[in-house]
Amino acid sequence: MSVFQSKINRNSDSYQRNLALMKEKITELEAKQQEALFQGEDKYLTRTKKAGRLLARERIEMLLDADSPFMELCPFAGWGTDGFGTGGTVVAGMGFVSGRLCMLNSNVGTIKGGAIDYATLQKGLRIGEIATENHLPMINMVESAGANLPDQAKIFNYGGANFRGITQRSKLGIPTISIVFGSSTAGGAYIPGMSDYVIMVKNEAKVFLAGPPLVKMATNEVTDEESLGGAKMHSTVSGVSDYMAEDELDGIRIAREIISYLKSETRNTKSEIAEPKFEKEEILGVVSADVRIPFDQRELIARIVDGSEFSEFKPAYGSTLITGYAKINGYQIGIIANNGVLFSEAANKGAHFIQLCNQNNTPLLFLQNITGFMVGKKYEEEGIIKHGAKLINAVSNSTVPAITIITGASYGAGNYAMCGRAYKPRFLFTYPQSKIAVMGPDQLAGVMQTIGRQAAEKSGITYDEEQGKAMAGYMVKEAEKQSNAWYASGQVWDDGVIDPRETRNYLKFCLEAIHQTEFEGAKGFGVFRM
Ligand code: COA
């Protein structure tokens, strides 16, 4: 493989402009990361500390191997919504426990008793999906008041999928371990109730279908929390608990011990990995801060792959799509990156390359920066729809795992062809300046104005230009709001907005997760040359 020769000029206007604007975006990202760290009002934090108990993030820290990083997932779920705030009431992500890559899911019991709002539910479902697809044992750190009762209508129907997921993973041989640290009522009781291994912490865990007040209302029975659902009762009488822990640290120790007995692949210890030859800091000057201005994605690839080595496939054909092989942390990967609008040749080249990666079982990395497929009479005549359809078909039916990173624009069918959310990449991250929508806000407003004018003409009415302009202004604002990366992340359309400089680290983690599974590329036919 050849080492990429960078052409960037650090003193150029465009590099300096990108750097300055991207730094502003990073400051915005850091502020949102701070928001996501919120673990509740002081009164709840003090009460927890006073009782000698750990907070949600501390539990994660204690559970992870001492040298393990933690890759947090969906930290901005709920941003911009009227729920319980950025990140919801659960902290989730991947890390190594007793040498095994696991999914960790820790309820924040100090915000609303850890009750689950709509965004937290969506986040939980996505976390379960990632655990299932990548065969990651799930460790739940449970302290949750169950459904956010005022939100119950919105979450009741979807909520059941969490329990279904636990048992389906179990059938696939992917265990779930629940350590119950606090109250876990009703729906919450089914989290340990469905798990493969259950640890309850003495004097803290309280697990019941209904607490004492509801029991009194329902049956007139008078009882207390400890005898109704305490760790001792569940470990010695009901058998809902498999291990009774002396305290929180003991509960964490038991979970680590269980994981150490699971037959497992251990951590990737490949030693000779060449780091990229270019500084990751330069990514901020390379990536275009304005998504309307394209940038050469090879410059980004050179800063994320091993040794900056990239073997490009068909470099001189369909040049608005870059395709080729590289390695990240020793794992081979097929990269598909936009370098302009998708033309027919580029779409065909992409479909061809996806088939090749399926033929040799290579996972795919999509680097999206796409304003869409080329439009116009000439392109319609040459059948851009059917050529684009081949790329979408290849992405849809590819069976090797995919990772998608939105590095700039993600508009129109380009989002689909480049493995957007609906095409089920195993992981999807976005850069903070990126935009995700059917089309750009100005184009959207312009199209609506044209349609309005034509409709008026057809009906013989005079089109009100002033009103049309005002409406267009409003639509631009709305579309801008709804297409920014924060909005998308708040809706859990991605797995997080990331600092572009950390791309390689995220990819290393994702590839480690992907390689926990066996996969086989789709091979219905030989590779069709396109
Ligand atoms: N939905 C929404 N909010 C809830 C909630 C729920 N299910 N359970 C608790 N909260 C909120 C409280 O309103 C309070 O909010 P605030 O901080 O704005 O005042 C906060 O969580 C803390 O609750 P509090 O009862 O003061 O804390 P606690 O530590 O004494 O008790 C629980 C925690 C979980 C034991 C207790 O709140 C409880 O039993 N909740 C109901 C559990 C339940 O029956 N769930 C059934 C869901 S299907």
Side-chain angles (χ1 to χ4, degrees):
M1 285 202 199
S2 55
V3 175
F4 180 76
Q5 301 298 314
S6 178
K7 294 193 187 73
I8 63 158
N9 171 4
R10 288 206 209 190
N11 297 320
S12 68
D13 285 351
S14 67
Y15 183 95
Q16 289 299 328
R17 199 174 42 245
N18 285 337
L19 187 64
L21 288 169
M22 286 302 283
K23 279 198 169 156
E24 279 176 27
K25 285 286 166 191
I26 300 295
T27 308
E28 229 179 282
L29 172 64
E30 285 165 353
K32 300 231 163 22
Q33 282 167 338
Q34 277 303 317
E35 262 176 53
L37 290 178
F38 180 73
Q39 289 187 90
E41 293 169 32
D42 281 346
K43 62 177 178 183
Y44 293 122
L45 302 185
T46 313
R47 191 171 77 176
T48 305
K49 290 270 135 203
K50 245 188 177 160
R53 305 177 65 221
L54 297 165
L55 299 175
R57 285 181 182 272
E58 291 171 332
R59 288 173 185 154
I60 289 177
E61 243 174 78
M62 302 306 292
L63 186 61
L64 288 171
D65 293 348
D67 61 343
S68 170
F70 177 59
M71 191 181 109
E72 193 166 341
L73 290 161
C74 309
F76 308 118
W79 180 85
T81 67
D82 58 1
F84 289 163
T86 306
T89 54
V90 70
V91 182
M94 301 189 299
F96 290 91
V97 177
S98 301
R100 171 96 185 234
L101 188 61
C102 294
M103 183 65 87
L104 279 55
N105 199 36
S106 185
N107 294 129
V108 186
T110 39
I111 300 178
K112 298 281 177 188
I116 310 291
D117 66 346
Y118 183 68
T120 306
L121 173 67
Q122 295 302 321
K123 177 170 172 175
L125 293 174
R126 174 65 189 146
I127 293 302
E129 188 174 61
I130 295 175
T132 306
E133 287 181 340
N134 297 289
H135 284 212
L136 303 176
M138 170 86 89
I139 308 178
N140 291 316
M141 286 155 265
V142 184
E143 183 177 8
S144 169
N148 170 30
L149 290 172
D151 240 4
Q152 61 86 21
K154 256 164 86 185
I155 61 181
F156 177 59
N157 288 296
Y158 287 113
N162 259 329
F163 315 134
R164 181 168 177 258
I166 295 175
T167 53
Q168 289 186 321
R169 278 195 296 282
S170 182
K171 186 179 167 200
L172 291 170
I174 314 162
T176 297
I177 298 168
S178 284
I179 320 172
V180 187
F181 289 104
S183 200
S184 181
T185 314
Y190 281 99
I191 295 289
M194 307 301 294
S195 296
D196 299 284
Y197 298 90
V198 178
I199 304 158
M200 291 196 190
V201 178
K202 202 159 105 182
N203 302 324
E204 290 188 15
K206 308 276 184 286
V207 180
F208 25 64
L209 293 185
L214 185 55
V215 170
K216 171 85 175 69
M217 263 167 38
T219 65
N220 217 20
E221 185 185 15
V222 177
T223 177
D224 62 276
E225 290 190 340
E226 190 58 35
S227 41
L228 190 64
K232 191 161 175 224
M233 189 285 285
H234 281 311
S235 304
T236 59
V237 182
S238 75
V240 172
S241 163
D242 308 312
Y243 305 83
M244 183 163 70
E246 283 303 309
D247 54 27
E248 298 204 4
L249 287 180
D250 192 39
I252 288 168
R253 180 192 65 75
I254 296 169
R256 289 183 51 82
E257 196 172 296
I258 295 168
I259 294 285
S260 76
Y261 285 112
L262 301 179
K263 187 171 159 284
S264 69
E265 291 92 84
T266 42
R267 202 164 167 175
N268 172 15
T269 48
K270 292 186 205 78
S271 50
E272 283 179 36
I273 306 283
E275 286 299 307
K277 302 253 181 265
F278 307 100
E279 290 170 34
K280 65 176 186 180
E281 283 300 315
E282 290 175 342
I283 292 177
L284 296 187
V286 161
V287 168
S288 187
D290 182 341
V291 302
R292 289 167 303 186
I293 303 171
F295 67 96
D296 187 356
Q297 294 236 59
R298 290 181 192 84
E299 296 284 358
L300 171 64
I301 293 169
R303 285 159 180 82
I304 58 179
V305 302
D306 294 355
S308 300
E309 289 181 331
F310 181 50
S311 167
E312 209 172 323
F313 173 74
K314 275 183 184 280
Y317 181 84
S319 61
T320 55
L321 192 71
I322 303 168
T323 51
Y325 294 112
K327 286 192 174 165
I328 294 177
N329 210 25
Y331 289 120
Q332 177 158 315
I333 188 133
I335 300 178
I336 303 187
N338 301 114
N339 238 24
V341 177
L342 277 167
F343 290 89
S344 298
E345 309 84 65
N348 285 332
K349 169 174 153 180
H352 187 170
F353 187 66
I354 289 170
Q355 292 180 79
L356 291 173
C357 288
N358 275 269
Q359 186 190 51
N360 60 28
N361 302 331
T362 302
L364 290 162
L365 168 63
F366 290 86
L367 297 175
Q368 274 199 17
N369 184 19
I370 178 66
T371 48
F373 284 93
M374 191 64 199
V375 295
K377 186 163 176 282
K378 171 176 182 304
Y379 304 100
E380 295 294 355
E381 278 178 359
E382 74 183 25
I384 183 102
I385 294 174
K386 72 175 186 188
H387 297 300
K390 281 182 264 179
L391 180 55
I392 296 178
N393 187 338
V395 171
S396 307
N397 290 302
S398 163
T399 53
V400 290
I403 303 168
T404 300
I405 306 219
I406 300 178
T407 66
S410 179
Y411 289 122
N415 168 297
Y416 302 161
M418 288 294 292
C419 203
R421 181 59 129 186
Y423 290 77
K424 299 246 169 226
R426 291 236 190 143
F427 295 93
L428 189 154
F429 295 101
T430 54
Y431 282 0
Q433 91 296 9
S434 60
K435 306 274 183 227
I436 305 125
V438 166
M439 60 179 87
D442 293 331
Q443 289 81 352
L444 191 143
V447 170
M448 288 309 291
Q449 266 180 301
T450 309
I451 292 172
R453 214 173 276 120
Q454 284 171 350
E457 267 169 28
K458 265 191 215 152
S459 329
I461 307 167
T462 317
Y463 180 65
D464 186 336
E465 289 293 339
E466 276 310 302
Q467 201 186 10
K469 225 179 184 176
M471 185 52 112
Y474 170 78
M475 288 180 75
V476 167
K477 268 204 194 124
E478 278 301 291
E480 262 166 8
K481 194 171 83 189
Q482 290 174 358
S483 57
N484 79 43
W486 311 118
Y487 184 88
S489 213
Q491 304 293 319
V492 200
W493 293 339
D494 62 24
D495 299 320
V497 181
I498 63 170
D499 181 334
R501 292 169 296 186
E502 295 308 314
T503 307
R504 179 170 163 83
N505 285 333
Y506 275 86
L507 289 173
K508 278 182 178 176
F509 236 121
C510 294
L511 284 164
E512 205 58 48
I514 281 170
H515 283 276
Q516 304 292 310
T517 56
E518 305 257 322
F519 48 83
E520 167 97 42
K523 294 181 183 72
F525 293 90
V527 170
F528 288 111
R529 295 195 60 84
M530 299 281 177

